[in-house]
Amino acid sequence: MNSVLTETDSLVAKPRLADSSAKDYLTADSLMTPAEIRLLSALGFMAARSGHVVPAIRIFEGLAVLRKDKAFPYVGLALAMICVGAYGDAVHVLRERGLLACPGDPEIDAYLGLALQLAGRMSEAAAVTRELEARKDLSAGLASLVKTVSGLADGQPASDRPRPATVDVSVNATGR
């Protein structure tokens, strides 16, 4: 199995199998156990939170291939991008990939509201969070995030918004 990463104009690299026939026999369950998926996901979130954004993006891109029908790879990608201030890229991933793969997923919508708010697109963020606030099926943690994002989108001045840490996303010659 030969995997190739193609370059794009943003931080996002789209994984692609070099041999299209490989797609026929590769399934998520044949490659990794659920425990391995959870561990890799946790590593991706820890990497993003620690400022290791390039490895985090690589991890979540791989997870998006393995679990394309789940929200967590797209949320992870978006959070990694948010860590470096790439809010527009985070919005793009959540809208164009996450919601396409998982239509109506409240977790993706909640993080979309956050990314929109951080990108300064307050009216769009408010619209997303209003729809989420009307839902009755949100977990307590997700409802708390929606409430926070809603409060920010409804008028917190830009100067009071959280700012991401500056992170070096360059990759050295060894790819690490």
Side-chain angles (χ1 to χ4, degrees):
M1 174 176 57
N2 198 4
S3 180
V4 178
L5 292 177
T6 60
E7 301 267 320
T8 63
D9 293 333
S10 69
L11 293 173
V12 183
K14 294 179 172 55
R16 163 178 63 123
L17 291 174
D19 178 7
S20 63
S21 65
K23 293 179 186 176
D24 296 335
Y25 67 86
L26 293 178
T27 65
D29 294 332
S30 70
L31 294 174
M32 300 183 84
T33 66
E36 291 169 330
I37 295 285
R38 283 190 300 275
L39 177 61
L40 199 52
S41 179
L43 288 172
F45 283 112
M46 286 189 295
R49 199 170 46 234
S50 301
H52 301 286
V53 177
V54 172
I57 289 172
R58 289 180 179 159
I59 288 168
F60 288 117
E61 284 291 359
L63 289 170
V65 171
L66 295 173
R67 294 292 194 264
K68 60 182 147 258
D69 61 337
K70 301 292 183 195
F72 71 90
Y74 308 107
V75 169
L77 278 168
L79 288 175
M81 292 168 192
I82 285 170
C83 286
V84 294
Y87 308 130
D89 286 334
V91 168
H92 178 77
V93 163
L94 293 167
R95 271 204 175 134
E96 303 302 322
R97 295 178 62 196
L99 288 175
L100 187 65
C102 309
D105 187 284
E107 187 174 8
I108 292 174
D109 281 335
Y111 284 96
L112 175 59
L114 174 64
L116 286 164
Q117 189 274 329
L118 290 171
R121 294 160 65 177
M122 300 306 197
S123 61
E124 290 176 79
V128 169
T129 56
R130 271 194 300 276
E131 286 180 26
L132 282 169
E133 288 174 325
R135 292 182 68 153
K136 304 295 182 210
D137 62 341
L138 300 181
S139 68
L142 204 50
S144 176
L145 173 63
V146 170
K147 183 177 180 184
T148 300
V149 172
S150 178
L152 294 175
D154 284 340
Q156 183 176 0
S159 61
D160 294 343
R161 283 189 266 142
R163 295 284 179 221
T166 302
V167 179
D168 180 10
V169 295
S170 61
V171 178
N172 67 26
T174 63
R176 294 183 186 160

